[in-house]
Short mmCIF file of all heavy atoms in Angstrom, two decimals:
data_model
loop_
_atom_site.label_atom_id
_atom_site.label_comp_id
_atom_site.label_asym_id
_atom_site.label_seq_id
_atom_site.Cartn_x
_atom_site.Cartn_y
_atom_site.Cartn_z
N LEU A 1 -16.60 -6.95 -13.58
CA LEU A 1 -15.57 -6.99 -12.54
C LEU A 1 -15.10 -5.60 -12.16
O LEU A 1 -14.89 -5.31 -10.97
CB LEU A 1 -14.39 -7.85 -13.00
CG LEU A 1 -14.68 -9.34 -13.16
CD1 LEU A 1 -13.48 -10.06 -13.77
CD2 LEU A 1 -15.07 -9.97 -11.82
N LEU A 2 -14.94 -4.72 -13.14
CA LEU A 2 -14.55 -3.34 -12.84
C LEU A 2 -15.61 -2.64 -12.00
O LEU A 2 -15.29 -1.96 -11.02
CB LEU A 2 -14.30 -2.56 -14.13
CG LEU A 2 -12.98 -2.85 -14.83
CD1 LEU A 2 -12.99 -2.32 -16.26
CD2 LEU A 2 -11.82 -2.27 -14.04
N TYR A 3 -16.86 -2.81 -12.38
CA TYR A 3 -17.94 -2.17 -11.63
C TYR A 3 -17.95 -2.67 -10.18
O TYR A 3 -17.94 -1.87 -9.24
CB TYR A 3 -19.29 -2.45 -12.29
CG TYR A 3 -20.43 -1.72 -11.62
CD1 TYR A 3 -20.85 -0.50 -12.12
CD2 TYR A 3 -21.06 -2.21 -10.48
CE1 TYR A 3 -21.88 0.21 -11.51
CE2 TYR A 3 -22.08 -1.52 -9.86
CZ TYR A 3 -22.49 -0.31 -10.37
OH TYR A 3 -23.49 0.39 -9.76
N ILE A 4 -17.96 -3.97 -10.03
CA ILE A 4 -18.01 -4.55 -8.68
C ILE A 4 -16.77 -4.16 -7.89
O ILE A 4 -16.83 -3.91 -6.69
CB ILE A 4 -18.15 -6.09 -8.75
CG1 ILE A 4 -19.46 -6.48 -9.41
CG2 ILE A 4 -18.06 -6.70 -7.37
CD1 ILE A 4 -19.55 -7.95 -9.74
N GLY A 5 -15.64 -4.09 -8.59
CA GLY A 5 -14.38 -3.75 -7.94
C GLY A 5 -14.31 -2.34 -7.39
O GLY A 5 -13.48 -2.04 -6.54
N THR A 6 -15.19 -1.47 -7.87
CA THR A 6 -15.18 -0.09 -7.36
C THR A 6 -15.80 -0.01 -5.97
O THR A 6 -15.63 0.99 -5.28
CB THR A 6 -15.94 0.88 -8.29
OG1 THR A 6 -17.32 0.54 -8.32
CG2 THR A 6 -15.35 0.91 -9.68
N LYS A 7 -16.51 -1.05 -5.58
CA LYS A 7 -17.17 -1.05 -4.27
C LYS A 7 -16.28 -1.73 -3.24
O LYS A 7 -15.33 -2.44 -3.57
CB LYS A 7 -18.50 -1.79 -4.37
CG LYS A 7 -19.50 -1.06 -5.25
CD LYS A 7 -20.88 -1.61 -5.03
CE LYS A 7 -21.90 -0.75 -5.76
NZ LYS A 7 -23.26 -1.13 -5.39
N GLU A 8 -16.62 -1.51 -2.00
CA GLU A 8 -15.91 -2.19 -0.92
C GLU A 8 -16.19 -3.69 -1.01
O GLU A 8 -17.26 -4.10 -1.48
CB GLU A 8 -16.34 -1.63 0.43
CG GLU A 8 -16.03 -0.15 0.62
CD GLU A 8 -14.56 0.19 0.45
OE1 GLU A 8 -13.70 -0.59 0.92
OE2 GLU A 8 -14.27 1.21 -0.18
N GLN A 9 -15.26 -4.51 -0.56
CA GLN A 9 -15.33 -5.97 -0.71
C GLN A 9 -16.67 -6.56 -0.26
O GLN A 9 -17.20 -7.44 -0.91
CB GLN A 9 -14.18 -6.63 0.06
CG GLN A 9 -14.11 -8.13 -0.07
CD GLN A 9 -13.67 -8.63 -1.44
OE1 GLN A 9 -12.98 -7.94 -2.16
NE2 GLN A 9 -14.09 -9.82 -1.78
N GLU A 10 -17.23 -6.08 0.83
CA GLU A 10 -18.46 -6.68 1.37
C GLU A 10 -19.73 -6.15 0.70
O GLU A 10 -20.81 -6.70 0.88
CB GLU A 10 -18.53 -6.49 2.89
CG GLU A 10 -18.76 -5.06 3.33
CD GLU A 10 -17.53 -4.15 3.31
OE1 GLU A 10 -16.41 -4.64 3.07
OE2 GLU A 10 -17.71 -2.93 3.51
N GLN A 11 -19.62 -5.08 -0.08
CA GLN A 11 -20.80 -4.49 -0.69
C GLN A 11 -21.30 -5.30 -1.87
O GLN A 11 -20.51 -5.89 -2.61
CB GLN A 11 -20.50 -3.07 -1.17
CG GLN A 11 -20.40 -2.08 -0.05
CD GLN A 11 -20.23 -0.69 -0.61
OE1 GLN A 11 -19.15 -0.34 -1.03
NE2 GLN A 11 -21.31 0.06 -0.63
N LEU A 12 -22.60 -5.31 -2.02
CA LEU A 12 -23.23 -6.03 -3.12
C LEU A 12 -23.61 -5.08 -4.25
O LEU A 12 -23.93 -3.92 -4.01
CB LEU A 12 -24.49 -6.75 -2.62
CG LEU A 12 -24.28 -7.82 -1.56
CD1 LEU A 12 -25.63 -8.31 -1.04
CD2 LEU A 12 -23.46 -8.97 -2.12
N SER A 13 -23.58 -5.61 -5.45
CA SER A 13 -24.05 -4.90 -6.64
C SER A 13 -25.17 -5.74 -7.23
O SER A 13 -25.20 -6.95 -7.04
CB SER A 13 -22.93 -4.75 -7.67
OG SER A 13 -21.87 -4.00 -7.17
N THR A 14 -26.05 -5.10 -7.97
CA THR A 14 -27.09 -5.86 -8.65
C THR A 14 -26.84 -5.81 -10.16
O THR A 14 -26.22 -4.88 -10.68
CB THR A 14 -28.50 -5.29 -8.36
OG1 THR A 14 -28.60 -3.99 -8.93
CG2 THR A 14 -28.78 -5.25 -6.86
N ILE A 15 -27.36 -6.81 -10.83
CA ILE A 15 -27.26 -6.85 -12.28
C ILE A 15 -27.97 -5.63 -12.87
O ILE A 15 -27.48 -5.03 -13.82
CB ILE A 15 -27.83 -8.17 -12.83
CG1 ILE A 15 -26.93 -9.31 -12.41
CG2 ILE A 15 -27.99 -8.11 -14.34
CD1 ILE A 15 -27.46 -10.69 -12.71
N GLN A 16 -29.07 -5.24 -12.25
CA GLN A 16 -29.82 -4.08 -12.75
C GLN A 16 -28.97 -2.81 -12.70
O GLN A 16 -28.95 -2.05 -13.66
CB GLN A 16 -31.11 -3.88 -11.96
CG GLN A 16 -31.95 -2.71 -12.45
CD GLN A 16 -32.39 -2.87 -13.90
OE1 GLN A 16 -33.02 -3.85 -14.25
NE2 GLN A 16 -32.04 -1.91 -14.74
N GLU A 17 -28.28 -2.57 -11.60
CA GLU A 17 -27.50 -1.33 -11.52
C GLU A 17 -26.32 -1.36 -12.48
O GLU A 17 -25.97 -0.33 -13.07
CB GLU A 17 -27.06 -1.02 -10.08
CG GLU A 17 -26.05 -1.97 -9.49
CD GLU A 17 -25.77 -1.71 -8.02
OE1 GLU A 17 -26.67 -1.91 -7.19
OE2 GLU A 17 -24.62 -1.32 -7.71
N ILE A 18 -25.72 -2.52 -12.68
CA ILE A 18 -24.62 -2.63 -13.64
C ILE A 18 -25.15 -2.42 -15.06
O ILE A 18 -24.55 -1.71 -15.86
CB ILE A 18 -23.91 -4.00 -13.51
CG1 ILE A 18 -23.29 -4.14 -12.12
CG2 ILE A 18 -22.83 -4.16 -14.59
CD1 ILE A 18 -22.80 -5.54 -11.79
N SER A 19 -26.29 -3.02 -15.35
CA SER A 19 -26.94 -2.86 -16.65
C SER A 19 -27.22 -1.39 -16.94
O SER A 19 -26.95 -0.90 -18.04
CB SER A 19 -28.25 -3.66 -16.67
OG SER A 19 -29.01 -3.37 -17.81
N THR A 20 -27.73 -0.70 -15.96
CA THR A 20 -28.04 0.73 -16.11
C THR A 20 -26.77 1.55 -16.30
O THR A 20 -26.70 2.41 -17.18
CB THR A 20 -28.82 1.24 -14.88
OG1 THR A 20 -30.04 0.49 -14.77
CG2 THR A 20 -29.13 2.71 -14.99
N SER A 21 -25.75 1.28 -15.53
CA SER A 21 -24.50 2.05 -15.61
C SER A 21 -23.82 1.93 -16.98
O SER A 21 -23.30 2.91 -17.50
CB SER A 21 -23.52 1.60 -14.53
OG SER A 21 -23.94 2.06 -13.28
N TYR A 22 -23.83 0.74 -17.53
CA TYR A 22 -23.17 0.51 -18.81
C TYR A 22 -24.11 0.54 -20.01
O TYR A 22 -23.66 0.44 -21.14
CB TYR A 22 -22.46 -0.85 -18.80
CG TYR A 22 -21.19 -0.91 -18.00
CD1 TYR A 22 -21.08 -1.78 -16.92
CD2 TYR A 22 -20.08 -0.14 -18.33
CE1 TYR A 22 -19.90 -1.88 -16.20
CE2 TYR A 22 -18.90 -0.22 -17.61
CZ TYR A 22 -18.82 -1.09 -16.55
OH TYR A 22 -17.65 -1.19 -15.84
N ASN A 23 -25.42 0.63 -19.73
CA ASN A 23 -26.43 0.56 -20.79
C ASN A 23 -26.27 -0.74 -21.59
O ASN A 23 -26.18 -0.74 -22.82
CB ASN A 23 -26.36 1.78 -21.70
CG ASN A 23 -27.59 1.91 -22.57
OD1 ASN A 23 -28.67 1.45 -22.21
ND2 ASN A 23 -27.44 2.54 -23.73
N ILE A 24 -26.20 -1.84 -20.85
CA ILE A 24 -26.05 -3.18 -21.41
C ILE A 24 -27.28 -3.99 -21.04
O ILE A 24 -27.82 -3.83 -19.94
CB ILE A 24 -24.79 -3.89 -20.85
CG1 ILE A 24 -23.52 -3.14 -21.27
CG2 ILE A 24 -24.72 -5.33 -21.31
CD1 ILE A 24 -22.27 -3.68 -20.61
N SER A 25 -27.68 -4.87 -21.91
CA SER A 25 -28.83 -5.74 -21.67
C SER A 25 -28.68 -6.52 -20.36
O SER A 25 -27.64 -7.14 -20.11
CB SER A 25 -28.98 -6.73 -22.83
OG SER A 25 -29.75 -7.83 -22.47
N LYS A 26 -29.71 -6.49 -19.56
CA LYS A 26 -29.74 -7.24 -18.30
C LYS A 26 -29.61 -8.74 -18.58
O LYS A 26 -28.94 -9.45 -17.83
CB LYS A 26 -31.04 -6.92 -17.57
CG LYS A 26 -31.10 -7.40 -16.16
CD LYS A 26 -32.37 -6.89 -15.50
CE LYS A 26 -32.66 -7.67 -14.24
NZ LYS A 26 -33.94 -7.31 -13.65
N ASN A 27 -30.24 -9.21 -19.66
CA ASN A 27 -30.15 -10.64 -20.00
C ASN A 27 -28.72 -11.05 -20.31
O ASN A 27 -28.28 -12.13 -19.89
CB ASN A 27 -31.06 -10.96 -21.19
CG ASN A 27 -32.52 -10.93 -20.82
OD1 ASN A 27 -32.89 -11.10 -19.65
ND2 ASN A 27 -33.37 -10.69 -21.79
N HIS A 28 -27.98 -10.22 -21.04
CA HIS A 28 -26.57 -10.52 -21.32
C HIS A 28 -25.78 -10.60 -20.02
O HIS A 28 -24.97 -11.50 -19.82
CB HIS A 28 -25.96 -9.43 -22.21
CG HIS A 28 -26.33 -9.49 -23.65
ND1 HIS A 28 -27.41 -10.17 -24.12
CD2 HIS A 28 -25.75 -8.93 -24.73
CE1 HIS A 28 -27.48 -10.03 -25.43
NE2 HIS A 28 -26.49 -9.27 -25.83
N LEU A 29 -26.04 -9.64 -19.14
CA LEU A 29 -25.29 -9.60 -17.87
C LEU A 29 -25.62 -10.78 -16.98
O LEU A 29 -24.76 -11.24 -16.23
CB LEU A 29 -25.54 -8.28 -17.15
CG LEU A 29 -24.90 -7.06 -17.80
CD1 LEU A 29 -25.20 -5.81 -16.99
CD2 LEU A 29 -23.41 -7.24 -17.98
N MET A 30 -26.83 -11.28 -17.05
CA MET A 30 -27.19 -12.46 -16.25
C MET A 30 -26.34 -13.66 -16.68
O MET A 30 -25.83 -14.41 -15.84
CB MET A 30 -28.68 -12.76 -16.36
CG MET A 30 -29.53 -11.75 -15.60
SD MET A 30 -31.29 -11.95 -15.85
CE MET A 30 -31.58 -13.53 -15.12
N LYS A 31 -26.16 -13.83 -17.98
CA LYS A 31 -25.33 -14.93 -18.49
C LYS A 31 -23.87 -14.74 -18.08
O LYS A 31 -23.20 -15.68 -17.64
CB LYS A 31 -25.43 -15.00 -20.01
CG LYS A 31 -26.81 -15.40 -20.50
CD LYS A 31 -26.88 -15.30 -22.02
CE LYS A 31 -28.31 -15.46 -22.48
NZ LYS A 31 -28.46 -15.16 -23.90
N VAL A 32 -23.40 -13.51 -18.22
CA VAL A 32 -22.01 -13.20 -17.87
C VAL A 32 -21.75 -13.43 -16.38
O VAL A 32 -20.77 -14.07 -16.01
CB VAL A 32 -21.68 -11.73 -18.26
CG1 VAL A 32 -20.40 -11.25 -17.62
CG2 VAL A 32 -21.61 -11.60 -19.78
N THR A 33 -22.64 -12.93 -15.53
CA THR A 33 -22.43 -13.08 -14.09
C THR A 33 -22.54 -14.54 -13.66
O THR A 33 -21.82 -14.97 -12.76
CB THR A 33 -23.39 -12.21 -13.26
OG1 THR A 33 -24.74 -12.51 -13.61
CG2 THR A 33 -23.11 -10.73 -13.48
N HIS A 34 -23.40 -15.28 -14.32
CA HIS A 34 -23.49 -16.72 -14.01
C HIS A 34 -22.14 -17.40 -14.26
O HIS A 34 -21.65 -18.15 -13.42
CB HIS A 34 -24.60 -17.39 -14.84
CG HIS A 34 -24.65 -18.86 -14.69
ND1 HIS A 34 -25.15 -19.47 -13.55
CD2 HIS A 34 -24.24 -19.85 -15.51
CE1 HIS A 34 -25.04 -20.78 -13.68
NE2 HIS A 34 -24.49 -21.03 -14.87
N GLU A 35 -21.55 -17.11 -15.42
CA GLU A 35 -20.26 -17.71 -15.77
C GLU A 35 -19.15 -17.20 -14.85
O GLU A 35 -18.29 -17.99 -14.42
CB GLU A 35 -19.92 -17.42 -17.23
CG GLU A 35 -18.70 -18.15 -17.73
CD GLU A 35 -18.87 -19.65 -17.84
OE1 GLU A 35 -20.01 -20.15 -17.93
OE2 GLU A 35 -17.84 -20.35 -17.82
N LEU A 36 -19.14 -15.91 -14.54
CA LEU A 36 -18.13 -15.38 -13.62
C LEU A 36 -18.22 -16.06 -12.25
O LEU A 36 -17.20 -16.34 -11.62
CB LEU A 36 -18.28 -13.87 -13.46
CG LEU A 36 -17.83 -13.00 -14.63
CD1 LEU A 36 -18.29 -11.55 -14.44
CD2 LEU A 36 -16.31 -13.06 -14.81
#
């Protein structure tokens, strides 16, 4: 949410870019974003 919140409302983020920024597993983020 913090990562996405840094962008303008209409801008899209990808799980890959979030994964890279935080050095977090893409698979973990897929589960998290699904639930969010």
Side-chain angles (χ1 to χ4, degrees):
L1 293 173
L2 283 165
Y3 185 95
I4 297 170
T6 65
K7 294 195 172 189
E8 298 303 320
Q9 182 71 26
E10 70 281 352
Q11 286 185 283
L12 297 173
S13 298
T14 66
I15 292 172
Q16 181 61 57
E17 68 186 67
I18 298 169
S19 171
T20 301
S21 287
Y22 285 119
N23 195 26
I24 296 173
S25 160
K26 191 174 163 186
N27 288 336
H28 284 19
L29 290 181
M30 287 174 65
K31 293 174 190 171
V32 165
T33 56
H34 174 74
E35 188 68 22
L36 286 169

